[in-house]
Amino acid sequence: MKSKLSWIPFVPLFLVACFCKAAQLIFPEGTLLGLSNLQLEYFYLAAVVLIFLFTALFCLLDKKISPYYLPHRNIPAGLIGFVLALAFAADGAMSMFHIIGSGSIDALRLIEAILLLLSAIVFVVLGLTHSLKGSEGKRFALFNVIPAILCAIRMILAFVSFTTISIRLADVANLACYVFATLFFFNYAVALSLTKAKNAVKSCMIFGLPAVAALIPYGAIKLIFSFDTQELANNLPGAQAVLMGLYILAFLIELCAFVKDRDSVRIIDEDEVEEVKVEADAKKDGYVTGDVDEAEDERESSYLHTADTSDFLYQETKTVDTTPVSNNEKELDSYITETSKEDAADSDRPRDYTSRLDEIDKLILEISEQSD
């Protein structure tokens, strides 16, 4: 599948994005090829955008990838999901305490705090799903879309903060992170809920890879060079950015490893399920029914004629010999093969071969006389 080729440009461009983001704090301004910190920030954003363009190109050219995907067991994604749930829960609780303690309610901050707590629950469920096994069937789409709404609220908060400061001082990288994270988690919820969508799985890759390239360098640089040792809660946004990037990366690796072809996956709607049930009920008339387990999925070669068929559908039929029989054959059968009840009652044991030959000779003489 051509969509997997997206990893080829992703790896070098991701390293470029990390270097450009870290170089702003490692090197003095202007010493790296005469580039300022603002120019390095632009190179960082350009690398993220190039990852988005290359991934979109390869995914749009891919006509074989399935539009549906069921999660598989993914221990790294499960562990990262648990840790991310703790970070969301701690951040949401601290935000609620600050809002209640301040006495003034900010609508956006209050919504963010509520969504943080709900997102913590979502990632606990996702962590269990990844750690144990991907559950089958449809999931709650509205429940899974909560992280996307949280990222959208943080994107709005980033826009609002730009109105009070100069554009040169604006944290555009934060805005880019949550733009791609919002789009990824929305399509991720659509893919998990098995909702009919044309490009849900493709969109996870198109927006997931640039989200990884934006989130991990942004959060890591904040934690390394701007770590707040006095108020540890201020480090939670940077930790959340790193954890979200790692979670998306772990899921995309799983997605590329287990995604199926378009022709090998079929989703049965509820209407089709009802039709299958009606057909099955109609076929039960005149049959002996039983519980059919997973044996129907086994190969036909595994069934032998001595196998127990009590748990399968079958019908007993009586075969009638319709071959015409001539009059001479009927007479011969009655003379030769049938034994009268009187003879059977008189004889205690089968007759010997000699006596049987005498009777046959007599019968042949009688038949010849009758024919004359």
Side-chain angles (χ1 to χ4, degrees):
M1 287 178 282
K2 296 180 181 179
S3 58
K4 295 182 180 181
L5 297 176
S6 303
W7 292 95
I8 297 175
F10 168 76
V11 174
L13 290 174
F14 173 72
L15 297 176
V16 170
C18 294
F19 176 77
C20 292
K21 194 66 180 175
Q24 300 176 31
L25 299 174
I26 295 176
F27 302 101
E29 187 172 0
T31 58
L32 184 62
L33 301 176
L35 300 175
S36 63
N37 290 340
L38 184 60
Q39 290 173 330
L40 290 173
E41 186 79 0
Y42 288 156
F43 278 111
Y44 157 76
L45 295 173
V48 173
V49 173
L50 285 176
I51 291 174
F52 167 72
L53 294 177
F54 279 114
T55 306
L57 177 63
F58 287 121
C59 290
L60 292 177
L61 293 176
D62 190 357
K63 304 298 182 182
K64 296 182 179 180
I65 190 171
S66 172
Y68 301 103
Y69 176 74
L70 279 177
H72 291 70
R73 191 173 185 181
N74 190 340
I75 300 299
L79 295 177
I80 296 170
F82 289 136
V83 179
L84 184 58
L86 292 176
F88 278 152
D91 196 5
M94 292 298 296
S95 298
M96 292 293 291
F97 288 146
H98 284 304
I99 292 171
I100 296 172
S102 63
S104 61
I105 298 177
D106 188 352
L108 288 176
R109 293 294 179 183
L110 180 61
I111 295 173
E112 181 190 12
I114 296 173
L115 290 174
L116 282 168
L117 296 175
L118 294 176
S119 297
I121 300 174
V122 173
F123 277 100
V124 168
V125 175
L126 292 176
L128 291 174
T129 301
H130 288 296
S131 299
L132 301 176
K133 187 179 180 182
S135 58
E136 298 179 358
K138 289 192 174 183
R139 298 166 175 80
F140 299 101
L142 293 178
F143 184 69
N144 292 323
V145 83
I146 290 176
I149 301 175
L150 172 63
C151 294
I153 292 296
R154 288 191 165 179
M155 182 176 61
I156 295 173
L157 289 172
F159 271 117
V160 172
S161 66
F162 291 170
T163 60
T164 58
I165 59 176
S166 172
I167 191 65
R168 185 180 180 85
L169 300 176
D171 192 0
V172 183
N174 185 28
L175 180 63
C177 289
Y178 286 108
V179 167
F180 287 111
T182 302
L183 295 172
F184 167 79
F185 281 113
F186 175 78
N187 290 281
Y188 182 45
V190 174
L192 288 180
S193 60
L194 298 179
T195 305
K196 280 189 175 181
K198 188 175 181 180
N199 296 317
V201 176
K202 289 183 181 180
S203 298
C204 287
M205 294 191 64
I206 292 173
F207 300 112
L209 290 177
V212 172
L215 286 166
I216 293 180
Y218 176 79
I221 295 304
K222 278 192 170 296
L223 290 176
I224 296 173
F225 296 98
S226 302
F227 190 82
D228 192 348
T229 57
Q230 296 180 352
E231 189 67 29
L232 296 179
N234 294 333
N235 302 312
L236 287 175
Q240 293 168 10
V242 174
L243 291 172
M244 281 193 293
L246 292 175
Y247 178 82
I248 296 171
L249 181 62
F251 171 75
L252 292 178
I253 294 173
E254 173 199 335
L255 178 66
C256 292
F258 296 103
V259 69
K260 303 293 184 181
D261 294 336
R262 181 181 293 271
D263 298 333
S264 61
V265 177
R266 181 192 173 194
I267 299 297
I268 301 177
D269 297 333
E270 294 180 358
D271 297 336
E272 296 179 2
V273 173
E274 294 296 331
E275 293 178 0
V276 172
K277 289 182 179 179
V278 171
E279 293 177 358
D281 294 336
K283 291 180 179 179
K284 288 182 181 180
D285 297 336
Y287 288 82
V288 180
T289 60
D291 294 330
V292 181
D293 296 328
E294 297 179 354
E296 62 183 3
D297 294 332
E298 297 180 359
R299 297 182 179 178
E300 294 180 357
S301 59
S302 63
Y303 294 104
L304 303 177
H305 61 87
T306 57
D308 185 12
T309 58
S310 60
D311 291 337
F312 295 89
L313 299 177
Y314 64 93
Q315 184 179 29
E316 296 180 356
T317 58
K318 295 181 179 180
T319 57
V320 179
D321 188 6
T322 59
T323 306
V325 181
S326 62
N327 294 329
N328 292 332
E329 290 178 354
K330 291 181 180 179
E331 293 177 356
L332 290 174
D333 290 341
S334 63
Y335 283 111
I336 298 174
T337 60
E338 294 181 358
T339 306
S340 63
K341 295 181 179 179
E342 295 179 357
D343 295 337
D346 295 336
S347 61
D348 295 335
R349 60 183 178 79
R351 297 182 179 182
D352 56 2
Y353 181 72
T354 306
S355 62
R356 189 65 175 171
L357 287 176
D358 295 336
E359 290 179 0
I360 292 173
D361 294 336
K362 293 178 182 180
L363 291 174
I364 293 172
L365 292 174
E366 292 177 0
I367 291 170
S368 60
E369 291 175 357
Q370 291 178 1
S371 63
D372 294 336

